[in-house]
Amino acid sequence: MRSACLVACLAGLAHAAPAPQNINFEEVETSDAPTLTGPPINAVSQPVTYNEEAAKASAAAEVTEELSSPSKRGLTTRGVDDPCSPQPQGYGPKPSTDSADAFLAFRTFHDTALNAPTPQGYQRSFVDLQASVNANAYMGLYTLKTYDTIKCQQLCDAASLCTAFNIYFERDPTLAPAEACPNPAGFTNIKCTLWGSGVTTEAAQNKGQYRHDFQVVISGSNGYTKNSPPDPQLGFDGPTPFGGAINAPGNYMGQKYFPGVYDAGKCAGACQANTAYNSRRPRSDGTFDACQFFNAYVLSKNNIPQGTYCSLYTKAWGRQYSTNYGQYRGSDYYSVSSSYGYTLNPQSSGHI
């Protein structure tokens, strides 16, 4: 179903009647979600491995394959520690009483979060929550020795496409809970998670969980989002900032949605793949529809970022056409943010 839509949407509709650039809810809701939407429950470190060039190539290959035949990606499963194995010890303070309730009430966590500095170039998205972010754009995890927003910001800045981070205190067990040790003593980890889209209060949904009888809980959770545009893309002018998504009167080729990290490079790959596909199938006069411009933005559901949405065009459109700020689907609101345009340079002739 999804590949059929891609063929119809992307394979040369520039000369058809103008089509509305509504959000394709079917593709969004049927796309495979990322395997991880946050760190595994037993993780203390998970370095960022996202590769922009590989992601762009993968996006182009996915579009080309979907234009020809449907495919599905498989998911992998997480591992767990051996029963009762010692866990890496954290560096955070802990209350005198070793319980989840005492951890959540511990004043030191709240004061630390409330007084933490906001790094330059970032804005604070939320402060002192008792939940951590759980969303599609998860990139990696680091455990810190102190509650250091500047250190977490530096880790984000060093990671390609990281646009936000979440720092928090987490109550973790000293041993991997099992039948022989269902409720071991607890300690405090200070965790810094990195994200490929902005973090929001609505996305902070992980309030912890039970591991046998041990209760993992979170406190002093702060989120910060970077004030910067997405990266430039080779062969394109931009990024040009828009207010909403483009809703142009014509020259619309179609769209492609990629769940996970916000990566305009995937849109560039989709644009180039469609041009290549169409150029191999020209009209009788040798012309074909070339992707000359794309609009990339973060699509959020009820203010929780979902992934990168790409709209493709055979002509560049300006900010005055960026009028689609979001749409309802039933009671759910899908909103547009971080919307940018990229224009092919030089432009394709659209002729073989």
Side-chain angles (χ1 to χ4, degrees), residues 107-343:
R107 191 68 241 172
T108 298
F109 295 154
H110 303 296
D111 290 342
T112 301
L114 290 169
N115 295 316
T118 299
Q120 294 297 314
Y122 285 74
Q123 61 183 2
R124 192 171 69 182
S125 305
F126 56 81
V127 61
D128 195 27
L129 299 184
Q130 292 185 335
S132 64
V133 173
N134 191 71
N136 282 354
Y138 172 69
M139 296 187 72
L141 161 72
Y142 295 90
T143 299
L144 307 181
K145 293 185 177 181
T146 61
Y147 191 99
D148 188 346
T149 54
I150 306 303
K151 176 63 176 177
C152 200
Q153 164 249 314
Q154 291 169 344
L155 291 167
C156 182
D157 287 349
S160 176
L161 295 183
C162 179
T163 57
F165 66 87
N166 180 202
I167 185 171
Y168 54 93
F169 298 102
E170 182 174 283
R171 180 178 187 255
D172 289 320
T174 54
L175 305 175
E179 293 297 330
C181 55
N183 192 19
F187 67 92
T188 303
N189 270 318
I190 302 171
K191 294 189 172 182
C192 164
T193 55
L194 308 186
W195 299 87
S197 65
V199 292
T200 63
T201 300
E202 292 82 355
Q205 298 182 340
N206 176 24
K207 297 182 179 181
Q209 61 276 314
Y210 275 94
R211 299 179 61 186
H212 283 266
D213 294 336
F214 184 91
Q215 187 177 2
V216 176
V217 290
I218 290 157
S219 190
S221 177
N222 285 10
Y224 300 86
T225 299
K226 189 180 294 186
N227 300 320
S228 63
D231 291 339
Q233 297 299 320
L234 184 64
F236 291 85
D237 291 337
T240 301
F242 294 144
I246 292 293
N247 192 24
N251 300 95
Y252 177 58
M253 296 181 73
Q255 53 69 39
K256 178 62 181 152
Y257 168 72
F258 298 98
V261 171
Y262 179 40
D263 185 355
K266 290 184 176 180
C267 297
C271 181
Q272 292 166 333
N274 276 276
T275 296
Y277 181 90
N278 289 344
S279 69
R280 295 191 296 269
R281 296 159 180 81
R283 302 180 183 89
S284 59
D285 62 358
T287 62
F288 61 90
D289 294 322
C291 179
Q292 311 278 18
F293 169 82
F294 68 85
N295 176 204
Y297 61 87
V298 175
L299 181 67
S300 297
K301 179 181 180 181
N302 300 324
N303 207 30
I304 301 174
Q306 302 296 304
T308 305
Y309 199 96
C310 315
S311 296
L312 312 184
Y313 299 84
T314 60
K315 172 186 173 180
W317 294 97
R319 184 179 176 87
Q320 67 270 33
Y321 294 99
S322 60
T323 57
N324 181 3
Y325 297 98
Q327 297 169 227
Y328 275 96
R329 181 169 173 84
S331 61
D332 294 319
Y333 185 64
Y334 287 81
S335 58
V336 173
S337 63
S338 299
S339 177
Y340 291 87
Y342 293 80
T343 304

